[in-house]
């Protein structure tokens, strides 16, 4: 997540059913982003999938 400012990140599992673990990140402004795992050491460009997450301090 180089260059991305996040308040936290979580490995939610495989979001796109490709067999690779993906990642979610939340910015200090509360924007929720998805990062798909594209190879063993690369993530896709971030995609905003939600807002208003600044009220949470953890995700499970």
């Amino acid at each position: 997540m180089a260059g991305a400012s996040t308040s936290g990140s979580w490995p939610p599992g495989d979001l796109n059913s490709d067999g690779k673990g993906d990642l979610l990140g939340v910015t200090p402004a509360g924007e929720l982003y998805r990062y798909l795992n594209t190879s063993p050491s690369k993530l896709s460009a971030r995609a905003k999938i939600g807002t208003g997450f600044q009220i949470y301090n953890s995700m499970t």
Side-chain angles (χ1 to χ4, degrees):
M1 294 186 336
S5 173
T6 61
S7 293
S9 61
W10 299 269
D14 185 5
L15 297 173
N16 61 347
S17 300
D18 66 354
K20 300 174 189 161
D22 302 311
L23 187 67
L24 294 176
V26 177
T27 67
E31 297 170 321
L32 179 65
Y33 286 92
R34 176 199 71 207
Y35 300 83
L36 298 177
N37 186 345
T38 59
S39 72
S41 62
K42 286 192 166 190
L43 295 173
S44 68
R46 68 185 190 170
K48 188 183 336 183
I49 60 172
T51 59
F53 285 83
Q54 70 274 17
I55 64 171
Y56 300 103
N57 58 14
S58 68
M59 294 176 78
T60 59

